[in-house]
Amino acid sequence: MTSWRTPVGVLLTAVMLFPVYWMINVSLTPMSDMRKPPSLIPVNPTTEGYERVLREQVPYLGTSLLVAAGTVVLTLVLAAPAAYSLAKLRPAGRRALGFVLLVAQMIPGIIMALGFYGIYVKLGITNTVWGLILADSTIAVPFAVLILTSFMASVPDEVLQAATIDGAGPWRSFVSIVLPASRNGVVTAALFAFLWAWSDFLFAATLDSGGRLQPLTLGIYRYIGNNNQEWNSIMATAVVASVPATVLIVVAQRFVAAGVTSGAVKD
Amino acid sequence: MRSRLAGWAFLVPLVAYLAVCYAYPLFTNVDLSIRGYTVRSFVSGGAPLVGFANYATVFGDPTFRTALLNTVLFTVISLFFQYTIGLAAALFFARGFRLSATLRALFLVPWLLPLIVSASTWAWLLNSESGLVNAALKVVGLGPVNWLTSPEWSLVSVTIANIWIGIPFNLVVLYSGLQNISRDVYEASALDGASGWQTFWHVTFPLLRPVSAITLLLGLVYTLKVFDVIWIMTKGGPSGSSTTLATWSYELGFGNVLPRFGPSAAVGNVLILIAVVAGLLYIRVQRRQELS
């Protein structure tokens, strides 16, 4: 009865994902064909773009992984204890803090970037990987606290009371009960922290553009800025940069959906 | 009492972090905007206070009007199409069918890709000489359009790319809003003999209004921030035709050989004012919905 929806849905998805297909197609096109009328399928597929990525972009790739992993760790270390406190220990002033976190998410990145730049120049810490990690974490920390708070709030109070009666202190309850019980929230927060740090271009461009270790987004940007724009290499790098997003969709779809809707829709 | 102390102990790292990584950069930004910084005094300090001179410079610059107007156009048009297309897709997916979960997941891809990937892909699609879009126009007998390099089309081009990026977010949020509407309402409406279109306008759309409001307001906050897409596709050009407050602020501070940090910070502070108003509106609507 609803069978017409499947082919139409496939068609709509194909239209929506066409630019992604095009990116892959161009990444396989030889430079000699690039100025000819574009062909819908790679007729003379080549790996020259990817070979160049392997030759030139591996250090950028490594930096991106390092920055993204560092951001995940920093974000979780800051956000998880705070979320536990907001959800379960409920100290005075938690509403005000929640409000601050909501507002913090709305500050445009360009303003944070300029402010960080001013501070980093003064302290002489521009072009450092850990400086970039610190800046990138600001994209994820407020979101991580809010989503972890909502996950941790659903751990029953009775369980925690029983633990307290058995002599567990707040730290013990946090580590052995609340944290394991809300691991879906931890995964969601970590996924988004990784993805945002991996994708960041603005902080990288402002704070790390002269650094020894630069992330992949700057690698792509350099390619685009070159005069002899080699679009198969640009698109091959773009394909490589898209791998984490694709992996997330495949292995962690429900976490992604949970992250998108959190804060927007209450269940 | 002990648990209250513990409660704050767990919050101390976060509060310290917010002070160092949010309050301090924001303060720095205000400080930059009211001083006459040069490249040298930026490093050594000691720039003189100039009060609102940077703001006066910015407001007097003809680019300000263009950037403000472009920000409004870019935001309103992006939101309208993201929401409309996202809602249509959500309604389409609302009735589960074979493969629907997989296809819905694939729809998320544009939203998860790094913005530099999406922006450079669109830049190549819209390239004047070698882009697919102009090649397709040629096939149907139309002349090429300078999508990214003509002042008439540059804002349209970056808006199209931004709409594409924003559709998945609208789809996912509106879809989950639709799932929360009780089946009974539709059955009652069907029993009353309402057509699909009538059901949508008189039942679904009104019931979805709270979720729609939240979606649009969050979209507003996100869209005001957009920088990467525009900067990578057009750098706000040609001659400022696609510049917004966000890209102009960046251009003033980082886009030229001689940076103008004062005016850059001033533009940033104007943008933050707009973003915070939008943000407070969002928080108000969300709070009211939580109460009801």
Side-chain angles (χ1 to χ4, degrees):
Chain A
M1 195 186 102
T2 55
S3 59
W4 66 273
R5 282 178 190 257
T6 303
V8 174
V10 170
L11 189 71
L12 288 176
T13 313
V15 170
M16 185 70 183
L17 293 189
F18 183 77
V20 180
Y21 166 74
W22 197 247
M23 165 176 81
I24 299 168
N25 181 21
V26 174
S27 78
L28 296 168
T29 306
M31 271 316 286
S32 50
D33 289 0
M34 209 59 85
R35 295 285 161 190
K36 295 176 191 163
S39 144
L40 280 176
I41 48 163
V43 271
N44 308 308
T46 169
T47 55
E48 64 183 41
Y50 289 93
E51 282 161 26
R52 212 173 139 199
V53 171
L54 272 181
R55 264 197 326 272
E56 298 173 4
Q57 295 285 355
V58 171
Y60 292 94
L61 203 64
T63 309
S64 279
L65 278 174
L66 182 67
V67 169
T71 306
V72 169
V73 172
L74 182 60
T75 301
L76 291 180
V77 165
L78 286 162
Y84 166 62
S85 171
L86 292 174
K88 286 297 158 201
L89 304 173
R90 303 185 192 105
R94 66 178 186 283
R95 276 173 194 286
L97 191 60
F99 183 76
V100 169
L101 289 168
L102 275 177
V103 174
Q105 284 184 293
M106 289 156 187
I107 301 167
I110 176 67
I111 291 154
M112 298 298 291
L114 190 59
F116 269 113
Y117 184 72
I119 296 168
Y120 281 16
V121 167
K122 224 181 290 173
L123 300 177
I125 54 171
T126 48
N127 302 327
T128 58
V129 165
W130 61 269
L132 184 57
I133 291 175
L134 191 65
D136 277 350
S137 71
T138 60
I139 315 173
V141 166
F143 167 83
V145 176
L146 294 172
I147 194 164
L148 282 171
T149 305
S150 75
F151 270 92
M152 289 178 180
S154 62
V155 177
D157 278 332
E158 292 75 24
V159 180
L160 293 176
Q161 278 156 11
T164 310
I165 291 166
D166 289 344
W171 178 253
R172 186 74 201 277
S173 302
F174 168 58
V175 173
S176 354
I177 299 172
V178 175
L179 212 48
S182 43
R183 69 175 172 274
N184 284 355
V186 175
V187 173
T188 308
L191 284 182
F192 277 88
F194 188 93
L195 204 58
W196 287 331
W198 176 268
S199 310
D200 163 71
F201 166 69
L202 181 53
F203 284 130
T206 47
L207 305 175
D208 192 31
S209 61
R212 197 168 50 82
L213 296 173
Q214 297 184 9
L216 196 58
T217 47
L218 285 185
I220 300 178
Y221 192 60
R222 293 269 138 81
Y223 273 176
I224 302 175
N226 281 347
N227 281 330
N228 56 336
Q229 298 184 335
E230 303 200 359
W231 276 92
N232 56 3
S233 308
I234 298 176
M235 289 294 110
T237 322
V239 171
V240 174
S242 312
V243 166
T246 318
V247 170
L248 289 191
I249 282 290
V250 174
V251 302
Q253 197 203 114
R254 66 201 172 100
F255 297 112
V256 173
V260 181
T261 50
S262 77
V265 179
K266 53 176 181 148
D267 288 314
Chain B
M1 188 61 216
R2 228 190 103 216
S3 103
R4 183 171 301 176
L5 266 180
W8 272 102
F10 278 91
L11 283 178
V12 166
L14 177 72
V15 172
Y17 173 83
L18 290 175
V20 174
C21 289
Y22 273 96
Y24 189 31
L26 290 177
F27 167 79
T28 306
N29 218 51
V30 173
D31 186 60
L32 283 174
S33 75
I34 55 169
R35 285 179 194 275
Y37 273 101
T38 59
V39 178
R40 181 180 299 171
S41 61
F42 198 75
V43 181
S44 60
L49 270 175
V50 295
F52 288 96
N54 288 320
Y55 291 90
T57 310
V58 163
F59 291 140
D61 193 320
T63 310
F64 181 76
R65 280 192 54 192
T66 317
L68 189 63
L69 182 67
N70 284 349
T71 306
V72 172
L73 285 174
F74 178 76
T75 308
V76 171
I77 296 171
S78 290
L79 285 182
F80 177 79
F81 283 102
Q82 287 172 357
Y83 175 79
T84 315
I85 300 172
L87 179 59
L91 287 165
F92 177 78
F93 281 112
R95 280 219 209 132
F97 49 90
R98 213 152 54 81
L99 286 181
S100 65
T102 313
L103 295 177
R104 206 154 35 80
L106 285 172
F107 250 76
L108 272 171
V109 168
W111 192 72
L112 293 173
L113 291 181
L115 289 171
I116 191 160
V117 168
S118 319
S120 46
T121 304
W122 276 98
W124 187 240
L125 276 167
L126 296 171
N127 184 283
S128 294
E129 292 85 38
S130 320
L132 181 69
V133 174
N134 276 353
L137 288 180
K138 196 175 172 190
V139 170
V140 296
L142 293 170
V145 174
N146 288 321
W147 294 100
L148 302 172
T149 49
S150 70
E152 300 82 45
W153 287 102
S154 59
L155 188 66
V156 175
S157 304
V158 294
T159 310
I160 291 173
N162 190 57
I163 291 168
W164 181 73
I165 294 164
I167 290 170
F169 171 76
N170 283 264
L171 163 65
V172 173
V173 177
L174 293 169
Y175 174 84
S176 83
L178 286 175
Q179 299 306 104
N180 285 352
I181 296 176
S182 158
R183 293 258 158 259
D184 305 351
V185 190
Y186 293 120
E187 276 168 29
S189 160
L191 280 177
D192 288 343
S195 70
W197 188 242
Q198 282 172 325
T199 308
F200 172 73
W201 273 116
H202 299 289
V203 179
T204 317
F205 196 60
L207 283 173
L208 201 61
R209 204 157 58 196
V211 178
S212 297
I214 290 294
T215 313
L216 284 168
L217 282 168
L218 265 183
L220 174 61
V221 172
Y222 292 153
T223 313
L224 285 172
K225 290 204 242 189
V226 169
F227 160 79
D228 310 41
V229 180
I230 300 177
W231 188 258
I232 291 156
M233 288 179 73
T234 66
K235 288 205 161 65
S239 58
S241 57
S242 59
T243 202
T244 60
L245 291 174
T247 60
W248 192 36
S249 171
Y250 181 87
E251 195 191 342
L252 287 168
F254 301 100
N256 297 306
V257 186
L258 209 62
R260 297 169 67 199
F261 295 114
S264 168
V267 175
N269 286 328
V270 173
L271 178 62
I272 203 174
L273 226 66
I274 302 175
V276 165
V277 169
L280 292 180
L281 203 65
Y282 159 74
I283 292 171
R284 225 188 103 156
V285 170
Q286 200 199 31
R287 287 274 153 87
R288 200 183 307 152
Q289 287 179 14
E290 262 166 28
L291 289 177
S292 64

